[in-house]
Amino acid sequence: MSEALINTVLLSLLACITIGIVRTRNLFGVVVLSGIYSLLIASVMMVLDAVDVAMTEASVGAGMSTVLLLGTLYLTKGHEMKAFKPPLLPLFVAIGVGAMLVYGTIDLPPFGAADQPVNQHVGPDYLARSKPETGIPNVVTSVLASYRGFDTLGETTVVFTAGIGILMLLRRRRKKDDTLREGEK
Amino acid sequence: MRLDAILRIVTKMLIPFMLIFALYVHFHGDFSPGGGFQAGVVIAAAVVFHALVFGLYPTQKIVPPRLVTLMMPAGVIIYAGVGFLTLYLGENFLDYDVLSHNHHPEKPNYHAQERGVLWVEVGVLTTVAGTMISIFYAFAGRGKGEDKTK
Amino acid sequence: MIFEEFINYYNYFITLFLMSSGLYIVVARGNMVKKLVGLGLFQTSVYLLYLSPGKILGGTPPILAEGYEVYSNPLPHVLILTAIVVGVATLGLGLALVVRIHEAYGTIEEDEIFSKGDDLQEEDNKNSTLPGDAK
């Protein structure tokens, strides 16, 4: 019961922060709020037993993304312009999509039930096999690196590719290009 | 005496602990929460912390951008290299059971699994840390002053 | 009774609230940094959508130890763990694009960029019609 209570309180705080993010026009405020949001969602993940994920989110979401967003704000402007027209259509679309999804949610199994289909097939299988087959007690690590190693190789490659893309976009031009440019003048 | 002396000294004291913690998170990842992804980000956070307090150029002297850029592909190569090593030793791609001397096709091999997971995570750590630090360098190195030089 | 039902589905409701506010920010707001933050909201709502069903009330984190029987489902954790790191890499890519757009157009507001793009196009049209007028 206490688990569900902590979960509920943290999720409500999360919703409050989200309203703050939507309404704030100062981008610096938005960035700080998104940092708080990441920390809160890391706590929610902790309550949801996803300790590895919580650790990642706390270091990545509250640490790295905030630094990157602040760096971008330093390079650009710090304030958001007021919209030309009232955003009625987007509001309608967002509420409509939300309502349809809520309608779909009613059929889902209740939160925390052990007998829902998600917890019946693959998950318990990994839990049962991890220790005898690999000897690794942390099932998340054994699934990540051993059972789904190929998957993780793909993810690592994606991170690498995104990094290469950023370097291509942001790295200063070579001196050769500069001399070309001056030559044009 | 500069006014931010406390900040600088505390930073200098904290960074070794951050790095040690990253190594703990990495090598103890089999038994407790953690692994290559988290450790890579913690290492990157230590470098970013240093750069925020001491400035970008002193940090780039310690951790040169060239090294960081090289770390990005190196991690992927280490990861894929483990896969090709197991392929070379006569098993499937990324099947770690052959990575130890007492390999037996029927029995599970804990040592080999540990070894494989560790090296794969080293690859992940290298790529993630390299990518995060080089993203930070790219953003921080692109100062506003560049526009004036145009 | 209704309260209990509400608590049972509270995770999903909050997830959907985050999802639709992320969608709203992405569609309604013209500022690109804000749009990326909205995209982040949407992304984290998907994390919650994955992690919520894997939780078993009374269970422990999936690190095997003696004395514990009930563990939460480890598979969503693995999927989301990698998604977070990939997410920050792609966020960095988006922010890099924003920085380049700011350098090219001098603004990160979508409306201003569109109007500038129109101006540029009009200039192009003028330039291309000039030789025709001379004839």
Side-chain angles (χ1 to χ4, degrees):
Chain A
M1 189 60 212
S2 63
E3 266 178 312
L5 187 70
I6 297 170
N7 186 34
T8 313
V9 171
L10 284 174
L11 284 172
S12 312
L13 282 173
L14 207 59
C16 299
I17 297 285
T18 311
I19 294 170
I21 291 176
V22 174
R23 291 189 59 84
T24 311
R25 292 226 169 250
N26 186 344
L27 288 178
F28 186 73
V30 169
V31 171
V32 172
L33 279 176
S34 76
I36 299 172
Y37 176 91
S38 292
L39 211 57
L40 269 175
I41 208 157
S43 325
V44 172
M45 285 163 175
M46 196 71 209
V47 177
L48 292 177
D49 283 351
V51 279
D52 293 80
V53 188
M55 202 172 187
T56 319
E57 175 69 28
S59 51
V60 165
M64 287 307 296
S65 335
T66 310
V67 169
L68 292 184
L69 283 165
L70 286 178
T72 313
L73 284 193
Y74 172 70
L75 294 174
T76 58
K77 278 179 198 162
H79 206 272
E80 188 184 358
M81 203 177 57
K82 257 209 148 67
F84 289 134
K85 47 186 185 283
L88 283 180
L89 183 67
L91 197 65
F92 178 72
V93 169
I95 291 178
V97 170
M100 275 195 284
L101 288 172
V102 166
Y103 176 69
T105 310
I106 305 294
D107 286 340
L108 286 177
F111 170 68
D115 55 351
Q116 51 184 320
V118 185
N119 299 329
Q120 292 297 320
H121 301 287
V122 194
D125 198 42
Y126 281 135
L127 283 170
R129 286 165 63 167
S130 173
K131 193 90 185 222
E133 282 187 0
T134 65
I136 296 172
N138 187 356
V139 185
V140 175
T141 302
S142 76
V143 176
L144 183 89
S146 188
Y147 290 106
R148 290 180 168 252
F150 202 73
D151 204 356
T152 312
L153 175 61
E155 304 275 6
T156 313
T157 317
V158 171
V159 172
F160 164 66
T161 315
I164 291 292
I166 293 165
L167 286 187
M168 286 182 74
L169 280 169
L170 285 188
R171 183 165 274 182
R172 286 159 188 271
R173 283 181 216 92
R174 288 260 172 79
K175 275 185 180 168
K176 209 177 166 187
D177 287 5
D178 281 350
T179 49
L180 267 181
R181 196 163 271 260
E182 276 164 23
E184 278 172 19
K185 279 173 198 167
Chain B
M1 193 81 191
R2 300 185 62 150
L3 283 175
D4 51 1
I6 294 175
L7 203 60
R8 282 162 186 265
I9 291 167
V10 168
T11 308
K12 271 189 183 165
M13 281 166 65
L14 274 180
I15 282 176
F17 288 106
M18 287 176 83
L19 293 175
I20 293 276
F21 179 67
L23 290 180
Y24 167 76
V25 164
H26 179 246
F27 287 106
H28 211 255
D30 293 356
F31 309 100
S32 65
F37 283 102
Q38 292 91 335
V41 178
V42 173
I43 287 177
V47 175
V48 170
F49 188 33
H50 190 273
L52 286 180
V53 174
F54 292 97
L56 184 64
Y57 296 107
T59 310
Q60 282 188 341
K61 266 185 196 159
I62 302 170
V63 187
R66 203 175 164 72
L67 170 79
V68 174
T69 315
L70 276 178
M71 275 164 75
M72 293 162 61
V76 179
I77 290 170
I78 292 172
Y79 200 132
V82 174
F84 284 115
L85 184 67
T86 56
L87 211 59
Y88 174 74
L89 291 175
E91 266 287 356
N92 291 325
F93 191 69
L94 289 173
D95 191 344
Y96 309 133
D97 277 342
V98 285
L99 289 176
S100 174
H101 59 92
N102 51 356
H103 171 55
H104 191 272
E106 305 294 310
K107 278 190 238 165
N109 192 344
Y110 294 167
H111 288 279
Q113 285 286 341
E114 294 261 338
R115 192 172 282 172
V117 167
L118 190 74
W119 279 107
V120 159
E121 298 262 21
V122 166
V124 171
L125 175 136
T126 314
T127 296
V128 170
T131 309
M132 294 295 156
I133 298 171
S134 63
I135 291 174
F136 175 74
Y137 278 176
F139 273 93
R142 207 174 177 83
K144 272 182 175 166
E146 202 197 21
D147 287 347
K148 287 169 196 163
T149 58
K150 266 182 191 171
Chain C
M1 204 58 206
I2 291 177
F3 179 70
E4 212 164 87
E5 285 282 296
F6 186 71
I7 291 293
N8 273 341
Y9 290 102
Y10 195 65
N11 267 47
Y12 297 116
F13 291 152
I14 292 292
T15 305
L16 298 178
F17 175 70
L18 298 183
M19 205 177 265
S20 41
S21 21
L23 185 68
Y24 171 76
I25 293 179
V26 170
V27 179
R29 294 304 173 81
N31 188 294
M32 292 189 165
V33 174
K34 187 85 180 251
K35 255 185 210 288
L36 283 171
V37 172
L39 214 58
L41 281 186
F42 203 104
Q43 209 173 15
T44 37
S45 80
V46 176
Y47 302 161
L48 274 186
L49 189 69
Y50 265 68
L51 292 175
S52 298
K55 164 76 180 165
I56 296 173
L57 279 178
T60 55
I63 297 169
L64 303 175
E66 278 181 31
Y68 294 96
E69 292 296 321
V70 184
Y71 299 101
S72 293
N73 194 343
L75 191 57
H77 303 180
V78 177
L79 300 178
I80 297 308
L81 180 67
T82 49
I84 289 177
V85 180
V86 170
V88 73
T90 48
L91 174 79
L93 192 64
L95 290 173
L97 279 172
V98 170
V99 168
R100 289 307 298 263
I101 286 173
H102 183 259
E103 281 171 8
Y105 288 91
T107 177
I108 50 170
E109 297 286 341
E110 211 174 41
D111 296 333
E112 290 178 8
I113 291 168
F114 284 155
S115 59
K116 281 197 182 179
D118 289 347
D119 292 349
L120 287 179
Q121 202 154 27
E122 271 169 29
E123 263 175 39
D124 279 358
N125 289 342
K126 261 185 209 164
N127 290 341
S128 59
T129 49
L130 272 178
D133 291 345
K135 189 170 68 176

